[in-house]
Amino acid sequence: SIGGLVHVDCLGAAQPAGGLTVRLLHDATLFASTLTLADGSYAFTQVPLGSYTVVVVPPAGFGTTVDNQIVSLQLVDQSLTADFSLTCQLASIQGSVTGTCGGQTAPLQGVTVDLFSVDGSGHETLQVTVGTDASGNFSFSGVALGDYLVVIVTPLGYVADANSRPLSLGTAGAIYNTSFSLTCQTIASQPRTIGYWK
């Protein structure tokens, strides 16, 4: 039998990696394939004697210095172990939010910026929320590689050129930039309406 454990390590927090594909190759040909359990373990049983290559398939946003190991079964009832450790491939996102009113452009402080991850089926999951600083800047650091959507909550009195921007993070260690430009809404004074007094 051949088995082992697969862990992922993000920012020093190691966790078992469940649901990952592990392949067993014999003479460069796929012999068997399995998924890791919730505790990160996997096992191939009733394997004939011989040399094999165990390959782990890192998910999007993760990498490993060693993604395959060669093992050799030479004895009956022999059990071999091949463990793998994956690490996050991290990048950063930064940007700014500015507002233009009366021909003057200035940074906007306190604008809410949300970061959503987008999976292969287009499902969006909120990851983190930040606010812009006094210079109108925001940043997300230590973001795993993958597809994301940066969304701003447009403050009252402004219109945004775009409320969201898609980003695809594909290079570890890179800094991705995205910015938003807002303009003041033109409000017509109508003192005879209830909306004006509210």
Side-chain angles (χ1 to χ4, degrees):
S1 64
I2 301 171
L5 294 172
V6 182
H7 285 85
V8 294
D9 187 344
C10 286
L11 304 176
Q15 299 178 0
L20 298 188
T21 300
V22 181
R23 298 185 178 122
L24 188 63
L25 307 180
H26 181 61
D27 292 333
T29 302
L30 181 63
F31 177 80
S33 181
T34 188
L35 297 177
T36 56
L37 302 178
D39 63 356
S41 65
Y42 72 92
F44 297 102
T45 59
Q46 304 297 318
V47 181
L49 300 184
S51 294
Y52 296 87
T53 303
V54 183
V55 180
V56 64
V57 181
F62 292 87
T64 179
T65 54
V66 178
D67 65 356
N68 69 81
Q69 296 185 43
I70 298 175
V71 295
S72 181
L73 289 171
Q74 299 177 347
L75 302 172
V76 176
D77 294 331
Q78 183 180 7
S79 295
L80 297 179
T81 300
D83 296 333
F84 294 91
S85 179
L86 308 179
T87 56
C88 287
Q89 294 179 321
L90 305 176
S92 298
I93 299 172
Q94 65 183 21
S96 62
V97 180
T98 57
T100 302
C101 293
Q104 300 291 325
T105 300
L108 296 179
Q109 183 178 9
V111 177
T112 300
V113 185
D114 298 324
L115 181 65
F116 290 85
S117 61
V118 183
D119 62 19
S121 62
H123 180 71
E124 300 170 6
T125 304
L126 178 64
Q127 298 296 316
V128 66
T129 298
V130 298
T132 55
D133 60 18
S135 300
N137 297 322
F138 65 89
S139 64
F140 302 101
S141 59
V143 182
L145 302 188
D147 294 324
Y148 293 89
L149 195 64
V150 181
V151 181
I152 64 168
V153 179
T154 305
L156 292 175
Y158 287 92
V159 176
D161 59 343
N163 288 332
S164 63
R165 297 198 188 285
L167 278 179
S168 183
L169 280 58
T171 304
I175 299 176
Y176 294 82
N177 293 288
T178 185
S179 297
F180 297 88
S181 298
L182 281 63
T183 55
C184 282
Q185 278 185 310
T186 302
I187 300 175
S189 298
Q190 297 180 3
R192 294 193 179 189
T193 65
I194 192 171
Y196 174 87
W197 293 103
K198 285 184 175 180

